[in-house]
Amino acid sequence: MNAKLCGHPSAVFPDNNSAKETQPALLGDRHGKMTDHKDHLFPPREDFREVHYLTEEKVYEILSICEGKKDYSPLIRVIGRIFSSAEGLVQSFRKDKEQHPNTKEQRKTHQAKDEDKDEDDKERTSAMEQESEESEASASMEGATGATENTLGPVEVSVDIEAVRRVYDRLLSNEKMEAAFLNALVYLTPNVELDLTYLDVYDTNPDYLNIFIIVMENSNLHSPEYLETAMPLFCKCMSKLPLPAQAKLTRLWSQYSVEHIRSMMETFQQLITYTVISNEYDSDSLVNDDECVVAAAKCLKLVFYANVLGGDLDTGHNEEEEEEEEASESSELTLQDLLGEERRNKKGPRVDPLEKELGVRTLDCRRPLIPFEEFVNEPLNDVLEMDKDFTFFKVDSESKFSFQTCPFILNACTKSLGLYYDNRISMYSERRITALYSLVQGQQLNPYLRLKVRRDHIIDDALVRLEMIAMENPADLRKQLFVEFEGEQGVDEGGVSKEFFQLVLEEMFNPDIGMFTYDESTKLFWFNPSSLENEAQFTLIGIVLGLAIYNNCILDVHFPMVVYRKLMGKKGTFLDLADSHPVLYQSLKELLGYEGNVEEDMMITFQISQTDLFGDPITYDLREHGDKILLEFVSLYGDYILNKSVERQFKAFRRGFQMVTNESPLKCLFRPEEVELLICGSRNLDFQALEETTEYDGGYSKDCRVIKDFWETVHSFGEEDKRLFLQFTTGTDRAPVGGLGKLKMIIAKNGPDTDRLPTSHTCFNALLLPEYDSKEKLKERLLKAITYAKGFGML
């Protein structure tokens, strides 16, 4: 009675006569059309208990019966029974039904046949392994069904995904069916969670992954009914999949269409948003402890990496391995070992396990299928307690979940706050080490990184001091920075450091120095391959950039994006020329599309020429005997311009940058474009947002006449004057990460009406504004103050 349907009625029914009567009604034809016997063979309460798994044909067959009777309860019961059973769902919608026999006798027969075929299978497998890499790559990218036909492919699955999609499309158009899928998923998830937690079912049966593949094809998962009941349980199950299963699911999804990946992304995003806005979080009830949000974030990670794998990848052109070894050797300290200090870079996860399993990094993706920004969840960022999350990330990473392990879901502002905590803790750690060292050695050491410089010799003074520190003890670079200008009274609480960085960069990027070349069309700087400056100068620039990040300062730096990609460990390629050398890129691109004879028409070979610092031509062979080898040199040309020609300069620059940041979570949290935002800030100045967040002190309020006159005056300024005002008040003309709304500016009353100019404390973003008696006077005094704003003094 419990035997599954098959093509041999004698195997199911002992009585052949009953089989002859029943078989046509049960099986129908291949198109699901039933015979004339169906009306009296299927009673109204028929529940198809002999159906233990589903195929597309079987679903349509039962649906046809239900439509004929105008009663869908039999199909609803079958859907509920199969979709709530892990075993039934694993066996459903297989590509080849003959591989999954129904009866014990059939399974034994198939097992015997499989043993006989073992030797043949080995021979076929050996032959397939010898196929060319091109054939394998072509087969592995067959994404129409979401799975490959290559039996050796890493994403082969036994479920027929296209059949599942057709069944969902057919059944979900019927409102009566939707509740059946929803209720079945609610009943399914507790058993699946137990299986994954205690039984290691995936190791014994990889087809267990079919459950998640089939469920995720349901196009209604984003509906409120699912988000409220079924999806939290299902995400919890998926998050418990072992790492190989997660990687396989990610590779499979990476072959889906953009629409399917976006649909899955939106489902998990909506679940996170729905849960976050439906609950209240505080210091005692953290969002990190919400199992639903955590599980959904882990599931969203699979979709994120599928989005990366499906995009334009560049897994080669890496230059970080030898550089990292050099940096780690140069930064290895015995002091911390002597004092029992554990290395900070051993705390918290540095390499994501899924990233390692997939063999791909976010940095490797030049253009994802879906923009990275769409994976950021703003409601989650709003409720995340970053100080607690950072603690989980660095200390309790095994027992507590940190959203910094899913950095794609965090915006740059939230991540920069995590980096700020890391930098501050590092400063306190270095201060503690210095104090302990002083006790041991009996001599007083400076717990801070102090630089005393002269304005007219700022490069020489800074270079000598920082070079000595880098040689003697690079760890001192991770102390808190204090800058003092000789002959000036300013005390550095952040503002003096900002001016120091600005003056150093103005000097270093001066075209007369010759360290960098400037492109008038792009307004960007690039390393001068013919520079006569020694490596120490470029190392200083790298240290300055690292110190700016470390001390939370924004710099006025104009580099193309390829510089930040190279800092993160990727070499420049031909595609990067579009940003750094757009004219050259366009020429090479047109050359690639030229259909004529390049050698004869353009006389182009593997030999190129450049001009040096003095304007003299220099020739370079991209290959040996470049003057005799013909075209296809675009890749080598890009490599020469972006890597080889500036190798000496950039290595020194990167070495300086890593002296400060090599123990920072910068690489695992930020993408290159976010690193640029972190260093340079935003060029978009929203003064309306600044006005809304500004605080007032000393008797001023937002309703005071002077304050109203002040904001009307500032809003009337042109772009240049607005930047001068920001420079005067905050020490930089850029907005911080997150925009001017994140800049906490204070306007304080500085006495009654007077002829004195407004003053500022750039360390605290504070403007001291006298109570001028007219709007015209306020504007005149303010413009004069921001125009002549060099130097520091004591008030």
Side-chain angles (χ1 to χ4, degrees):
M1 293 296 294
N2 293 329
K4 298 178 182 179
L5 294 178
C6 66
H8 303 283
S10 59
V12 182
F13 302 101
D15 184 358
N16 286 335
N17 292 328
S18 64
K20 291 178 181 178
E21 293 177 2
T22 310
Q23 181 198 0
L26 287 173
L27 297 178
D29 60 24
R30 292 179 60 86
H31 301 286
K33 297 179 180 179
M34 308 308 295
T35 66
D36 294 337
H37 298 78
K38 67 182 180 184
D39 292 332
H40 68 272
L41 287 175
F42 288 98
R45 294 294 298 173
E46 175 61 63
D47 54 7
F48 297 91
R49 287 191 177 277
E50 75 285 352
V51 178
H52 297 286
Y53 65 90
L54 290 174
T55 63
E56 184 179 13
E57 293 79 8
K58 178 56 65 179
V59 171
Y60 294 157
E61 180 182 326
I62 301 174
L63 180 61
S64 177
I65 297 173
C66 295
E67 289 174 343
K69 288 183 157 303
K70 300 189 183 304
D71 177 16
Y72 293 94
S73 57
L75 180 56
I76 290 174
R77 285 194 293 273
V78 171
I79 293 293
R81 182 160 48 81
I82 301 300
F83 274 74
S84 63
S85 165
E87 182 180 356
L89 210 52
V90 167
Q91 297 295 331
S92 296
F93 304 106
R94 293 296 187 101
K95 290 180 181 178
D96 184 3
K97 294 186 291 296
E98 292 183 0
Q99 293 179 357
H100 311 285
N102 300 323
T103 66
K104 291 182 179 179
E105 291 78 5
Q106 288 175 313
R107 283 194 288 269
K108 290 180 180 179
T109 303
H110 278 266
Q111 184 177 1
K113 292 180 179 179
D114 290 341
E115 291 175 356
D116 293 339
K117 293 180 179 180
D118 277 349
E119 187 172 346
D120 294 337
D121 289 340
K122 290 178 181 178
E123 293 177 0
R124 284 196 298 271
T125 300
S126 176
M128 295 182 71
E129 287 176 346
Q130 296 176 2
E131 290 181 354
S132 65
E133 293 181 2
E134 290 79 11
S135 299
E136 291 180 5
S138 174
S140 66
M141 290 305 293
E142 292 175 7
T145 63
T148 71
E149 296 297 324
N150 181 5
T151 57
L152 293 178
V155 289
E156 180 189 0
V157 291
S158 58
V159 63
D160 188 343
I161 298 176
E162 284 299 325
V164 174
R165 291 174 180 172
R166 289 192 294 267
V167 168
Y168 272 127
D169 290 341
R170 182 83 176 269
L171 297 186
L172 290 177
S173 61
N174 188 325
E175 295 181 359
K176 299 178 181 179
M177 297 295 173
E178 187 172 347
F181 286 111
L182 174 61
N183 294 330
L185 186 56
V186 173
Y187 282 104
L188 170 71
T189 47
N191 294 328
V192 173
E193 184 180 352
L194 290 174
D195 288 346
L196 290 170
T197 305
Y198 300 108
L199 300 181
D200 297 328
V201 286
Y202 180 77
D203 294 335
T204 56
N205 182 15
D207 286 338
Y208 203 82
L209 198 62
N210 291 2
I211 296 173
F212 299 93
I213 297 172
I214 293 173
V215 171
M216 285 304 298
E217 291 300 327
N218 187 334
S219 59
N220 284 352
L221 293 179
H222 64 279
S223 64
E225 295 80 11
Y226 280 92
L227 296 179
E228 189 172 353
T229 56
M231 282 305 291
L233 299 172
F234 179 71
C235 288
K236 194 174 177 182
C237 290
M238 187 182 292
S239 66
K240 292 184 179 295
L241 281 170
L243 190 60
Q246 293 183 20
K248 185 173 182 179
L249 198 57
T250 301
R251 291 191 185 101
L252 174 68
W253 287 348
S254 71
Q255 297 180 351
Y256 283 13
S257 66
V258 177
E259 291 73 20
H260 275 91
I261 296 178
R262 186 182 297 276
S263 176
M264 291 188 290
M265 182 266 292
E266 290 174 349
T267 296
F268 294 127
Q269 287 280 40
Q270 287 179 5
L271 177 58
I272 294 172
T273 301
Y274 175 81
T275 307
V276 166
I277 64 177
S278 301
N279 294 280
E280 293 184 2
Y281 302 100
D282 53 36
S283 57
D284 297 322
S285 176
L286 299 173
V287 68
N288 303 70
D289 298 324
D290 192 316
E291 291 185 349
C292 176
V293 176
V294 170
K298 291 179 178 179
C299 295
L300 185 61
K301 179 188 281 189
L302 305 188
V303 183
F304 175 79
Y305 279 106
N307 180 54
V308 169
L309 284 174
D312 295 339
L313 289 179
D314 176 19
T315 54
H317 303 102
N318 299 318
E319 60 178 3
E320 63 181 341
E321 293 184 3
E322 58 180 6
E323 292 288 336
E324 282 187 352
E325 290 176 4
E326 291 175 8
S328 62
E329 288 173 4
S330 63
S331 63
E332 194 68 36
L333 301 176
T334 59
L335 174 60
Q336 289 174 316
D337 298 330
L338 290 172
L339 296 174
E341 287 284 314
E342 186 174 1
R343 298 291 291 171
R344 291 176 55 253
N345 59 354
K346 294 180 182 178
K347 296 284 189 178
R350 288 301 182 198
V351 179
D352 187 273
L354 180 60
E355 196 173 83
K356 186 176 181 181
E357 182 77 14
L358 293 170
V360 68
R361 302 170 300 169
T362 305
L363 182 64
D364 295 330
C365 186
R366 285 189 168 274
R367 187 176 62 182
L369 296 175
I370 301 171
F372 290 130
E373 292 75 17
E374 295 190 29
F375 283 86
V376 175
N377 190 288
E378 293 296 347
L380 173 63
N381 282 265
D382 292 339
V383 300
L384 185 61
E385 301 252 357
M386 204 57 192
D387 53 343
K388 303 285 198 314
D389 189 88
F390 174 77
T391 303
F392 301 155
F393 180 64
K394 298 295 287 187
V395 181
D396 300 325
S397 57
E398 295 183 1
S399 59
K400 290 282 191 177
F401 178 79
S402 167
F403 286 97
Q404 290 185 75
T405 60
C406 299
F408 56 85
I409 207 171
L410 305 177
N411 57 37
C413 185
T414 303
K415 288 188 282 191
S416 67
L417 189 58
L419 187 65
Y420 172 80
Y421 288 132
D422 184 82
N423 294 341
R424 287 295 162 181
I425 290 175
S426 177
M427 291 177 186
Y428 298 149
S429 175
E430 295 297 337
R431 200 176 304 170
R432 175 174 175 269
I433 291 170
T434 303
L436 292 174
Y437 189 85
S438 298
L439 291 175
V440 172
Q441 296 293 323
Q443 57 181 349
Q444 187 67 32
L445 297 178
N446 198 327
Y448 302 101
L449 174 59
R450 293 192 179 274
L451 295 179
K452 187 173 183 179
V453 296
R454 297 165 293 174
R455 279 186 180 270
D456 51 351
H457 295 84
I458 191 166
I459 294 297
D460 295 336
D461 293 350
L463 180 61
V464 170
R465 178 70 178 132
L466 290 174
E467 194 171 16
M468 287 178 60
I469 293 173
M471 291 173 58
E472 294 175 0
N473 190 1
D476 283 354
L477 294 173
R478 292 188 286 276
K479 294 178 179 179
Q480 188 172 354
L481 176 65
F482 282 96
V483 177
E484 177 185 351
F485 285 106
E486 191 174 282
E488 299 183 20
Q489 298 174 310
V491 177
D492 190 6
E493 291 291 340
V496 181
S497 296
K498 292 177 185 178
E499 177 139 348
F500 165 75
F501 287 131
Q502 179 187 352
L503 294 175
V504 168
L505 292 176
E506 285 179 0
E507 186 75 20
M508 290 294 218
F509 285 95
N510 187 336
D512 295 337
I513 301 295
M515 292 179 64
F516 297 91
T517 59
Y518 183 69
D519 190 325
E520 289 288 348
S521 61
T522 62
K523 309 296 183 185
L524 298 174
F525 287 93
W526 182 247
F527 297 87
N528 188 344
S530 304
S531 174
L532 300 179
E533 300 294 333
N534 58 33
E535 295 182 9
Q537 302 274 30
F538 291 97
T539 301
L540 175 61
I541 290 287
I543 291 175
V544 166
L545 257 65
L547 287 175
I549 292 178
Y550 197 65
N551 290 272
N552 204 31
C553 290
I554 296 173
L555 303 181
D556 186 20
V557 178
H558 304 274
F559 278 136
M561 185 56 63
V562 65
V563 170
Y564 302 102
R565 284 180 58 82
K566 286 168 70 67
L567 281 175
M568 301 290 276
K570 300 294 290 186
K571 289 185 177 180
T573 66
F574 161 68
L575 296 175
D576 292 307
L577 290 173
D579 186 30
S580 61
H581 300 74
V583 176
L584 176 61
Y585 171 79
Q586 191 60 35
S587 300
L588 294 176
K589 188 177 179 181
E590 292 178 2
L591 186 64
L592 287 174
Y594 186 72
E595 298 179 356
N597 189 313
V598 177
E599 179 189 7
E600 295 180 359
D601 298 347
M602 301 184 184
M603 301 181 65
I604 292 180
T605 67
F606 271 96
Q607 191 174 74
I608 63 174
S609 64
Q610 284 184 310
T611 56
D612 62 12
L613 193 62
F614 305 102
D616 297 326
I618 299 176
T619 59
Y620 177 81
D621 286 349
L622 298 177
R623 284 186 183 177
E624 189 178 357
H625 307 303
D627 57 334
K628 299 179 181 178
I629 302 178
L630 304 180
L631 200 56
E632 295 305 326
F633 75 139
V634 169
S635 176
L636 290 173
Y637 203 145
D639 180 56
Y640 173 74
I641 294 294
L642 299 177
N643 302 312
K644 291 182 178 179
S645 67
V646 295
E647 184 175 10
R648 176 182 65 87
Q649 295 88 338
F650 188 83
K651 272 191 173 181
F653 170 75
R654 189 165 183 253
R655 189 185 310 118
F657 183 78
Q658 287 187 330
M659 283 180 183
V660 187
T661 63
N662 67 317
E663 292 184 1
S664 164
L666 187 72
K667 278 190 179 181
C668 63
L669 291 181
F670 293 88
R671 304 190 306 274
E673 55 269 26
E674 292 175 323
V675 174
E676 180 188 31
L677 185 63
L678 200 64
I679 295 175
C680 306
S682 172
R683 295 287 295 178
N684 183 25
L685 303 181
D686 184 0
F687 273 80
Q688 195 64 44
L690 179 63
E691 180 181 357
E692 293 173 0
T693 58
T694 295
E695 299 176 358
Y696 303 95
D697 195 12
Y700 280 155
S701 70
K702 65 177 181 179
D703 298 320
C704 290
R705 176 193 59 81
V706 175
I707 297 302
K708 290 182 178 179
D709 290 346
F710 168 80
W711 284 115
E712 288 177 7
T713 300
V714 170
H715 289 312
S716 69
F717 282 171
E719 186 74 13
E720 184 62 29
D721 286 339
K722 284 181 178 179
R723 295 195 180 281
L724 286 174
F725 170 75
L726 273 183
Q727 181 73 45
F728 173 75
T729 310
T730 68
T732 176
D733 66 349
R734 300 288 188 101
V737 178
L740 286 180
K742 300 295 182 180
L743 184 67
K744 302 299 181 184
M745 190 173 79
I746 300 173
I747 299 179
K749 188 175 181 179
N750 192 23
D753 180 43
T754 179
D755 288 335
R756 287 193 304 159
L757 298 175
T759 53
S760 65
H761 293 301
T762 55
C763 308
F764 310 106
N765 302 326
L767 176 67
L768 305 183
L769 185 67
E771 192 175 8
Y772 296 114
D773 58 6
S774 69
K775 182 179 177 180
E776 292 73 18
K777 186 175 183 180
L778 186 151
K779 182 175 182 179
E780 185 268 332
R781 297 280 87 188
L782 183 61
L783 280 173
K784 183 167 289 188
I786 65 177
T787 305
Y788 305 99
K790 293 277 186 179
F792 293 89
M794 297 295 290
L795 296 176

